[in-house]
Amino acid sequence: MASSVASKTFLAAPRTDGSLGSLLPSDLRRQLPSPNVQILIRSRTPKKLQVKAAGSTFGTYFRVTTFGESHGGGVGCIIDGCPPRIPLSEADMQVDLDRRRPGQSRITTPRKETDTCKIYSGVSEGVTTGTPIHVFVPNTDQRGHDYSEMSVAYRPSHADATYDMKYGVRSVQGGGRSSARETIGRVAPGAVAKKILKQFAGTEILAYVSQVHNVVLPEDVVDHEMLTLDQVESNIVRCPDPEYAEKMIAAIDAVRVRGDSVGGVVTCIVRNCPRGLGSPVFDKLEAELAKAMMSLPATKGFEVGSGFAGTFLTGSEHNDEFYTDEFGNIRTRTNRSGGIQGGISNGEIINMRIAFKPTSTIGRKQNTVTREKKETELIARGRHDPCVVPRAVPMVEAMVALVLMDQLMAQHAQCHLFPINPDLQGMMKLPELEPANFQM
C-alpha cells in the first residue's frame, strides 16, 4: 500500500514557552522542537466501481439483456436462465418477429427489414442447453441521412433532449436506443417464454388493438374465453372485430396522409395462468406487469381488471364472489380483479390495457430548440409509424410472457422445493385441456 508524508500544523495551542506541553506524549515532545509535526498518512486504494448495464436488463430468474440501436449494425438479446432441454429454433422466434417488423402495411413505417434472427449460442442439436442464448438480428435498411436535422434540433416529446440531459451525447440516427427497434430484443425472448408457458401450463397470451384515437372497441364485443390469434391477425390493425377494424384503419389513414399521428390502446389477456404467481409486497404481479408495460416505447398508461373504472363502484359491486366449480376449483363468479388478487394470480383470465401516445416523430412543422438552446422550427424526416399500436401488439405479449416466466421460476424456487398442498397449490383443473407434448 502506498504511503506519503505530509507536514501539517498540529491543532493545539502552544504554551507560553513555545512547547506543546502536556498535549503531547513526553517522548514526542523531546523529538519535536516546533509546533509542526510530521504525520504519516496512508493513501487508501480506491474501491472498484462496478457498473451494470443500466436499464438494459429485465428479469431475475429468466433474465434478458437487450443491445443494439436503430441504425447500428443490428439489435439482439442475451437470454440467461432459460431452462435446459427445451426444443428451440429460430423459427420459434421468427413468427412474432414477423408480426413486429416494419413495412407490414400502409399504416406502419415503410422501413423495409426482414428482421431475420439468428441464434449464436445456448442451443445445441435443437434444444436449449441452459446456458445464455444469444440472438442477433442485423439492420439492413438504415438511412442515417434522414436524421440530419435532428442532429441539431430536438424532436418535441421525443427522447432526443432527455438523452442529451442524461448522457451529454446521443445516437442521432434513428433515435438509437430510444427507437422501437430495440423491442426486437424483447419479442425474441418473449416468444421463448410464451412457448415454455404454453407447454408447462397451457398458458395463452393474446393482445389486440382495442382503441385507435377516438375509435373505441366496446368491451363486450370480444369474448376473451374464445378469442384466437387468427382473429387478431385477420386485419392490418390487429383488432379482432372486422367492423371496428375498418374504422381504426380509416382513422390512421386520415392522419397518415397529413403527416400526423395518433395513439391508442392495446388490450392483453392471459388464459390458464398458473395460480400463485407474484409476491407481496413490492413484487406484486400487477406491479411487475405495470413496469414491463411502461418500459415499452410510447406507453403512457396501464390498467388491470376494472382499472380506473372500478373507482365508480362500491365494494359490494366490485368484489368478485368465490364459488367452487364442478372440477373442485376455487373460482370467482366475476373478474373485476383481472385475475390478480393481493398481487398474486388466482387462475382467472388476467386482463390489462396499455395506453400508447401518438408517435412523436411527425412530418409537420413544430417549434423546438437546438442543442445550442436557440429556438427554431423542425419538420422531421425519416420513416415512422403513424400509429404504433398495431405493431405494439406482439411487444405487449412478449413483455407479459417475460414477467410470467420470471414469476413462474420464482414460484418454483420458493414454494415448490417441498411437497405442495395439491388442494390449494395445484394446477387448476380445466376441461378439454390437451396434454403438452413436452419432455423435461
Side-chain angles (χ1 to χ4, degrees), residues 196-204 271-272 427 433-434 436:
I196 298 173
L197 289 165
K198 177 70 173 178
Q199 293 177 333
F200 180 83
T203 304
E204 296 177 289
R271 292 195 294 245
N272 302 331
M427 301 287 287
L433 181 62
E434 296 182 2

Side-chain angles (χ1 to χ4, degrees), residues 327-389:
F327 300 98
N329 299 308
I330 298 176
R331 303 290 301 274
T332 60
R333 298 191 184 278
T334 54
N335 192 24
R336 299 182 186 92
S337 301
I340 304 172
Q341 294 174 325
I344 299 171
S345 61
N346 62 7
E348 303 294 341
I349 292 178
I350 297 175
N351 63 81
M352 66 200 86
R353 292 167 298 283
I354 304 94
F356 289 82
K357 70 182 178 74
T359 315
S360 56
T361 306
I362 59 176
R364 304 186 68 172
K365 184 182 295 184
Q366 299 180 92
N367 295 318
T368 184
V369 297
T370 66
R371 296 189 79 194
E372 288 71 34
K373 304 179 181 179
K374 295 181 180 179
E375 295 186 1
T376 186
E377 293 180 338
L378 173 68
I379 299 179
R381 293 190 295 166
R383 299 157 293 173
H384 306 280
D385 294 85
C387 181
V388 301
V389 290

Side-chain angles (χ1 to χ4, degrees), residues 80 148 154 156 229 293 417 419 430 438:
D80 202 4
S148 57
Y154 297 127
L229 179 61
M293 296 304 105
L417 286 176
L430 298 172
F438 177 63

Side-chain angles (χ1 to χ4, degrees), residues 205-227:
I205 303 170
L206 290 171
Y208 62 90
V209 175
S210 56
Q211 179 180 339
V212 168
H213 198 209
N214 55 9
V215 181
V216 182
L217 180 69
E219 290 187 8
D220 58 353
V221 170
V222 179
D223 184 354
H224 288 170
E225 295 280 357
M226 304 302 296
L227 180 66

Side-chain angles (χ1 to χ4, degrees), residues 180-192:
R181 189 146 183 79
E182 61 86 8
T183 59
I184 286 175
R186 306 169 187 240
V187 172
V192 179

